[in-house]
Amino acid sequence: MCWYCGSPVNDPDPIGRSLRCQDCGKDLRSCKNCRFFLPGARGDCHETSAEPQPDKERANFCDWFSLDVKYRKHSTGTKDREKADSSRDAFNNLFK
């Protein structure tokens, strides 16, 4: 499933670096869509020998990438994404 919108990924393995979600357009081969993604771990990755990627939402060339096939807690559905966007906007408005 896409880490951003939760839509199913129908593309076969291996997921290419240029593949994007058909619904939201986000990169599929990104840290946030990997089964090793673990916020808070070194480089936010459970695989300790993986090289840290600077942007977890963008496509990368990580050799350890493996598509996370189940819907995980770090994935954001539509309502969660709207709530996060609203919270971020409210926070940013504090500094205007």
Side-chain angles (χ1 to χ4, degrees), residues 2 15 18 27-28 33 36 38 49 51 55 60 63-64 70-71 76 82-85 95-96:
C2 174
I15 299 294
S18 63
D27 292 324
L28 290 177
N33 222 32
F36 294 115
L38 183 62
S49 59
E51 188 173 320
D55 190 344
N60 58 57
D63 292 332
W64 293 98
K70 61 188 181 304
Y71 192 76
T76 51
E82 289 172 358
K83 184 177 177 183
D85 289 344
F95 300 99
K96 288 185 177 179

Side-chain angles (χ1 to χ4, degrees), residues 45-83:
C45 185
H46 179 68
E47 183 52 58
T48 57
S49 59
E51 188 173 320
Q53 302 297 322
D55 190 344
K56 308 300 183 217
E57 297 179 5
R58 306 259 335 229
N60 58 57
F61 292 106
C62 181
D63 292 332
W64 293 98
F65 178 82
S66 178
L67 184 65
D68 189 0
V69 294
K70 61 188 181 304
Y71 192 76
R72 293 175 27 151
K73 290 183 180 178
H74 73 265
S75 299
T76 51
T78 304
K79 289 184 180 182
D80 291 338
R81 186 175 66 236
E82 289 172 358
K83 184 177 177 183

